[in-house]
């Protein structure tokens, strides 16, 4: 029996989470779900975007599933604070070409490893009406820790290269430490190739030669931007899952946000959420089921019959979920 914290959040977060729960209920595994609130609707109800109660539910769970939250003016981001509270310092975002999807190329298969606890997402901002300052915190400890995750993941995936992305020509001190930490850790993995690029050049290489990357490691903001760009190479945010992993907790969520433009229409693609649940099962040691879910999603997408509008079809969120479940059981 696994205790799973479910935090659906706002907008399509609710819709894709319903789909995900529907699928999990059909599996041959036992789950006990505990529900937590977070996000914009939660703020309107409770006056906070991330209640203490939600953090407690997440902390005591075996793993957390998070949908998406709409940002609340003047309030901290609930997902950034939840990642911090759980110290899930590594945000893992796999990107791959799916058969039958209009991808830039059909041989893309890399993963972005994004540092999750500091960088420009420290949310430390101050100043006055004339001048505002945001602190970009980079520590050697977090930089070495995230590099280690990247090299270990490269080994686990059986790939050969880790690419460090930074901007140390301008951010000489902060990204100087990030890059130096990367090469320090690289010494422990002499069998793995290394390279590093400035983030602006990398934004171009991701389009011109995405097939050449295996594992990409970067700081918080750069990793966030590059992962949406990368999702765009392989069919969009409807197929982009992610896991946030720490030493004691795992939190799994789609890369996308609450998509207010399509919320309530029941046409959101649930595959990012479902693939995130597959990553969760992998984390929990349920490798076979995790793999079955991945295969079922791939098969339904490849058949091109039942797809949500983001992939050119006219199926609803629940239509495609049922098709995936049918493949599974
Ligand atoms: P978004 O990721 O919500 O949407 C970007 C575009 O992708 C939209 O056109 C949307 O319709 C489409 N899209 C996203 N997920 C989709 C899915 N599953 N199926 C089909 N189409 C999908 O980003 P946006 O519009 O910039 O932000 C909307 C809200 O979400 C904002 O309040 C933002 O702060 C928040 N946000 C929250 C995140 C989180 O909770 N982790 C992450 C990113 C944004
Ligand atoms: Mg993002």
């Amino acid at each position: 029996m696994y205790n799973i914290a479910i935090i659906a959040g706002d907008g399509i977060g609710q819709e894709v989470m319903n789909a995900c729960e529907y699928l999990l209920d059909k599996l041959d595994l036992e789950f006990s779900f505990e529900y937590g609130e977070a996000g914009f609707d939660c703020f309107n109800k409770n006056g906070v975007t991330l209640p203490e109660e939600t953090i407690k539910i997440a902390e005591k769970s075996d793993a957390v599933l998070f949908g998406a939250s709409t940002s609340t003016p003047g309030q901290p981001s609930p997902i950034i604070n939840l990642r911090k509270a759980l110290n899930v310092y590594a945000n893992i975002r796999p990107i791959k070409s799916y058969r039958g999807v209009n991808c830039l190329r059909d041989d893309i298969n890399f993963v972005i490893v994004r540092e999750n606890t500091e960088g420009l997402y420290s949310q430390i901002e101050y100043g006055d009406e004339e001048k505002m300052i945001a602190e970009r915190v980079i520590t050697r400890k977090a930089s070495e820790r995230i590099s280690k995750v990247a090299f270990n993941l490269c080994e686990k995936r059986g790939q050969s290269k880790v690419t460090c992305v930074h901007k140390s020509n301008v951010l000489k001190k902060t990204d100087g430490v990030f890059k130096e930490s990367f090469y320090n850790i690289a010494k422990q993995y002499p069998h793995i190739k290394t390279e590093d690029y400035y983030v602006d050049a990398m934004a171009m290489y991701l389009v011109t030669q995405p097939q050449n990357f295996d594992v990409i490691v970067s700081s918080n903001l750069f990793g966030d931007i590059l992962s949406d760009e990368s999702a765009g190479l392989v069919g969009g945010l409807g197929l982009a899952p992610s896991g946030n992993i720490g030493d004691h907790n795992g939190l799994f969520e789609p890369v996308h946000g609450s998509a207010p433009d399509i919320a309530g229409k029941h046409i959101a693609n649930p595959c990012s959420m479902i693939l995130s649940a597959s990553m969760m099962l992998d984390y929990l040691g349920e490798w076979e089921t995790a793999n079955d879910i991945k295969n079922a999603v791939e098969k339904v997408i490849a058949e091109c019959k039942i797809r949500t509008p983001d992939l050119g079809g006219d199926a609803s969120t629940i239509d495609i979920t049922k098709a995936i479940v049918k493949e599974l059981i």
Side-chain angles (χ1 to χ4, degrees), residues 12 20 23 33 47 49 60 73 87 95 97 99 113 197 237 248 256 275:
I12 67 164
C20 184
L23 180 138
F33 298 135
T49 52
K60 66 180 201 288
N87 198 20
I95 299 287
S97 323
R99 247 181 333 119
V113 176
Y197 290 121
L237 288 168
H248 307 290
H256 63 71
L275 290 167

Side-chain angles (χ1 to χ4, degrees), residues 83 91 93 114 121 223-225 227-228 237 255-257:
R83 290 174 187 146
N91 190 188
R93 296 179 152 184
R114 162 194 178 199
Y121 283 7
D224 195 16
I225 296 173
S227 43
D228 276 37
L237 288 168
V255 170
H256 63 71

Side-chain angles (χ1 to χ4, degrees), residues 12 66 68-71 237 253 256-262 268-269 310:
I12 67 164
F66 186 91
S69 63
T70 302
S71 68
L237 288 168
E253 49 161 343
H256 63 71
S258 60
D261 53 338
I262 58 165
N269 187 344
D310 56 309

